[in-house]
């Protein structure tokens, strides 16, 4: 099943053999614009790469562990 347009575009024009459940790939927009689903602006990444990208863009809330006082 398709959850978004970028998956449909990716499967139709880039790689029709991609199996999401087997390959564990997520389709993202390179320029972070969810409305720009041109074939030159989408790519498949794994969940780790997507998480790193979210951290780099400050899209993840700070963890309470990062502010905990560990001096004692």
């Amino acid at each position: 099943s398709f959850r978004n347009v970028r998956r449909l575009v990716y499967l139709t024009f880039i790689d029709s053999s991609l199996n999401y459940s087997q390959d564990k790939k997520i389709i993202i927009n390179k320029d972070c614009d969810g409305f720009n689903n041109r074939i030159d602006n989408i790519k498949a990444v794994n969940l780790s790469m997507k998480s790193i990208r979210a951290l780099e863009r400050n899209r993840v809330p700070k963890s309470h562990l990062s502010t905990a006082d560990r001096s004692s």
Side-chain angles (χ1 to χ4, degrees), residues 37-69:
N37 293 310
R38 296 170 43 116
I39 59 173
D40 60 346
N41 188 49
I42 56 177
K43 68 178 178 178
V45 298
N46 61 27
L47 187 56
S48 295
M49 291 173 66
K50 183 179 179 190
S51 298
I52 290 169
R53 185 173 183 235
L55 286 169
E56 290 172 346
R57 296 177 54 227
N58 293 322
R59 301 279 306 225
V60 179
K62 288 188 176 184
S63 168
H64 67 280
L65 296 176
S66 66
T67 58
D69 182 11

Side-chain angles (χ1 to χ4, degrees), residues 7-25:
R7 281 188 178 195
L8 180 59
V9 171
Y10 191 90
L11 279 176
T12 303
F13 297 105
I14 298 174
D15 184 2
S16 62
S17 66
L18 185 66
N19 181 335
Y20 294 104
S21 58
Q22 181 182 15
D23 298 330
K24 306 289 187 207
K25 296 286 185 173

